[in-house]
Every structure is written in structure tokens, then in C-alpha cells.
Amino acid sequence: MFGQPTLINNVETFACVPAILRRGAEWFAAIGTERSKGTKVFALAGKVKHTGLIEVPMGMTLREIVEDMGGGVPDGGQIKAVQTGGPSGGCIPAAHLDTPVDYESLGRLGSIMGSGGMIVMDQQDNMVDVARFFMEFCRDESCGKCVPCRAGTVQMHDLLCRLLARQATARDLAKLEELCDLVRNTSLCGLGITAPNPVLSTLRFFRQEYLDLLAPEPWKPATPPAPSPASADTRPQPPHPASPWLPKSSPSTVRKSAPPKGRASSRPPTRRASASPPSATWRA
Amino acid sequence: MDVGACRLCLVEIAGSNKLVPACTTQVADGMVVATTSERLQRYRRLLLELLFAERNHVCAVCVSNGHCELQALATNLGMDHVSFPYTFPKLEVDLTHRLFGMDHNRCVLCGRCVRVCWYVEGAATKNFSGRGAGSRIISDLNQPWGESRTCTACGKCVHACPTGALFEKGTTVGEMQKDRGKLEYIVTAREKKQWIV
């Protein structure tokens, strides 16, 4: 700053300084692992008995932190995942609970130490909803300077909302992944670069939860090998579920007067739904 | 005056994983730069699609139709459709200024008007308000442009604007031709004492 070397420290760093001055750098460096030294403060929250701020030596395993210090999930629930690093961190599944908490190990699992948040999730938590929650945060915190972060987080959040409403197709999921890649690689600052992390890490370990929420694609039969013509699942959807050309009232009326059974995969109803509203919009 | 915010000029530099904006990156000896790789062009198209989906860009009724930098970029990159759902925000048109208009529907938030107003004209009328998708270009303390006490009505912002967001009143579809050359003339004359016409 002002042409001079500048060290920016946060409160946590400052809090470490008196202890290091008093007891020496060797003492501090002896705590922790080879690459990550000292202690780290976490805000333990979520589905654990004892929530609050904890200070642990680097390299302690997640299981020790969550089960011993946190006391595990109340009411005998099962840990599903631990989210670390704050909103732009990642979710670590229960299978990796024995990972030591240090910068390198968390990085390998697609998560970060970040702001020291640690949220425990149990079987009742839906990981897509978790990703949506954190994406909402990133969207709201975007400053709006660069395009990928400002507009990309909006689109990612919308896609996650549509997934949760069971209106997104496999194509939308592919679009979501494409957006993650775009926003991560083209954003101006760290907020945008890490904004896709909640989606990427839940996709990495809990992809099935995304797939379970997918709506059938109207142009494809529900079960590719043996198309069942009269299944309720093959009810045609508008080509683009949240198509802006569809006036708010129109899709429900179109859907309610759903085509008779047996014509489930025929095109005319869908075509009409997408073809007529534009003219209505122009007239209005 | 370049800020590297739109990310459309990102380039690949050999030996680095990070994409850097060409507008704010200094050229160095022996630097190997790729400007139009398949990946970069794909990113650019997606970024443009995001811009088009973000606000209400309707070329057919725009004063800058045919003279628009956003439109030209889309044409050059072969962006023939927008794969994201349009967000259709409800935005205002500020026609309170006696000479110029501001249509937020066509704004891409590049900030050129803000920078030219601060650093070339020195009036400091234009600025950003809000953040994220709620960012807007404002005049003074978010007053109607016509009530601004600082605006000198020089029109530099209008000619810096890449789209039809800022326009001269009285122009109709396709009539608003921007002349950035005038701005460059002023800047080179001031900074380099060169009067290049």
C-alpha cells in the first residue's frame, strides 16, 4: 500500500502473535503437520451436539473434531457430510472423515480451510439444497464488477432452484457444470473463482442426489430401452421449463389439460405451449 | 482506463494455467499468447450469452442497432442463440436529461461512462450503485439525470457507451452512432500533446 510492502492480517492471525512471541516460533511450528503448522479456529455448527468456536491443532482428523469435540449427531443420526471453508468451501462426505484437517488434505478433497466454518450435515440434508443455499450467498455477495460472477452466479442459482423444483433436465445439469467451469476460470477475483465450489464438491461426492432430481426430458422416453407410453412420468414438459416466453399463467393451464394417456410423448401439446404465448406477449 | 471487468478479452499465456485479460496485462519479452483458442472462444460466447440474458437487449428496437459493440461481438463470435433463460429484470429508462437518455435495459455495466465522466471530463456525475445483479449506473446520488447538479452535458458518456444504454434524445432505431474517436482525440491531445484527427 502507498508503494510500501504491506502485510494484511486477519483477527485470527493477530490472535496467534502474542502466543508466538511469548513461547517462541519453534513451539508454534511444532504444532500441526509438515506443511500446515500451528492451530486453527473453527466455527463448528450444524447437526452436532456441541456447537461453537473450537481451536484445534492442524492435522487433527475431521472425525475427532466432529465426533469427539462436537459430540456427534444428536438423536443418534448419521453424519452425511462436513462442509468446511465457508460458503465457497466444499462438502466432504462421511467416508473421508478420517482426513487430517490441513490445507493440503482439504484441497485434495475439493474443499478449503477458508474462513474456518465447519457445518455438519446428517442424512436429512439434501446436498443440492445445500449447494443452492451457498450459491445464494455467493450470488448476493458478488460485487457485480465482472460478468461471470455477476451474471453466472444468478444463472447457477436459478438452475439449482429448478433442479430442486424437479424442473431441470439432464441438459440443464450439463449447463450447470459448464457454468461452474466458466465462472471458476474467468472470474476476476477469489469470490467468483471459488463460487462454483459448493456445486462442484457436491457433484463430485453426491452426484446421485442431483440425478434423482432430474425431470424426464420431454423429447426422450422415460426409460430408454423399453418406452412405456402411458406412464405418468412421461408427461410432456414445456421444452424449456422456465421458458420466459411462457406467460406465468399459461403453463399451468396447458399442463392441467394434459394430453390424454397414450399420447404422452406426442409433440403437439408442447408445441402449442411454446408457440402461442409469444404472440400473446407481443400483443400485451 | 482498462479494468479487466468484462472478461471478454481473456487470453492464454503459455506456461500459466490462469487466463488473463489482455486489456490489463503488460506484454513481456518472450511471452507466448494464444488469443483465439477453442476454449477461449467458448468462454467468450458463454459470457456474451450471460450478458444478453442479464438485461433486456432487444436489438430490433434499439437506437444502436447496427452500431452496437455488444451486437458486433455476438455476430463475430457466432452467438446465434442464448442458452440461458432470460432474467427479464424490470428496469427504468431515465429521460429526465434535456439532451440524453439512459436505458438501463441495455446497460452491460462496463463502467466506461463512469470512467470517462471521472477521468476525462472530471465531472464525477456517473457512478455505480448496488452490487451483484442489482448494480446500476447512477447520476450523482441516485437522482434523475436531469436533476444532476454536476453533469456538464458534455455527452462523453454517450459516446463511450458500447451499447444503446446511453443515447442522444431524438434518435430512433439504428440512428445512434457512437464516436469513440473523439474521446481518444481528447485523451491523446492531453496526455501526449498529439492532435491526431
Side-chain angles (χ1 to χ4, degrees), chain A residues 96-152:
Chain A
H96 291 278
L97 269 185
D98 290 312
T99 312
V101 176
D102 58 55
Y103 290 99
E104 297 76 32
S105 307
L106 289 183
R108 271 195 295 276
L109 289 171
S111 190
I112 51 171
M113 198 76 82
S115 56
M118 191 173 277
I119 301 168
V120 182
M121 285 165 280
D122 69 2
Q123 295 299 333
Q124 284 162 13
D125 291 306
N126 181 308
M127 302 312 281
V128 183
D129 196 37
V130 169
R132 187 208 58 79
F133 174 80
F134 287 119
M135 189 52 71
E136 185 181 12
F137 177 88
C138 292
R139 182 199 64 180
D140 293 346
E141 294 305 316
S142 169
C143 79
K145 183 172 174 179
C146 75
V147 180
C149 179
R150 182 181 75 222

Side-chain angles (χ1 to χ4, degrees), chain A residues 144-145 147 150, chain B residues 6 48 51-52 54-55 57 68 70 102-111 128 137 161-163 165:
Chain A
K145 183 172 174 179
V147 180
R150 182 181 75 222
Chain B
C6 76
L48 270 181
L51 277 177
F52 272 92
E54 188 182 25
R55 298 225 169 161
H57 296 280
C68 170
L70 185 68
M102 163 91 204
D103 186 346
H104 292 278
N105 294 290
R106 302 166 183 157
C107 177
V108 290
L109 293 168
C110 64
F128 287 100
I137 298 291
C161 178
T163 69

Side-chain angles (χ1 to χ4, degrees), chain A residues 146-211:
Chain A
C146 75
V147 180
C149 179
R150 182 181 75 222
T153 52
V154 169
Q155 295 288 351
M156 282 198 278
H157 181 260
D158 285 1
L159 278 170
L160 289 167
C161 287
R162 269 162 55 197
L163 262 167
L164 287 165
R166 293 176 182 272
Q167 287 179 337
T169 60
R171 185 179 283 194
D172 291 316
L173 185 59
K175 201 81 210 166
L176 181 65
E177 295 191 83
E178 196 179 6
L179 264 173
C180 286
D181 175 57
L182 174 82
V183 175
R184 165 180 267 194
N185 286 307
T186 61
S187 286
L188 182 65
C189 81
L191 189 116
I193 291 167
T194 54
N197 279 0
V199 179
L200 288 171
S201 79
T202 47
L203 264 174
R204 179 171 164 191
F205 295 116
F206 302 96
R207 196 179 185 87
Q208 193 54 44
E209 292 195 21
Y210 282 81
L211 298 178

Side-chain angles (χ1 to χ4, degrees), chain A residues 4-16:
Chain A
Q4 300 296 322
T6 308
L7 179 64
I8 301 171
N9 280 317
N10 64 12
V11 180
E12 192 180 7
T13 312
F14 281 133
C16 285

Side-chain angles (χ1 to χ4, degrees), chain A residues 19 61-62 81 125 157 169 251 254 276:
Chain A
T61 65
L62 272 173
D125 291 306
H157 181 260
T169 60
V254 172
S276 65

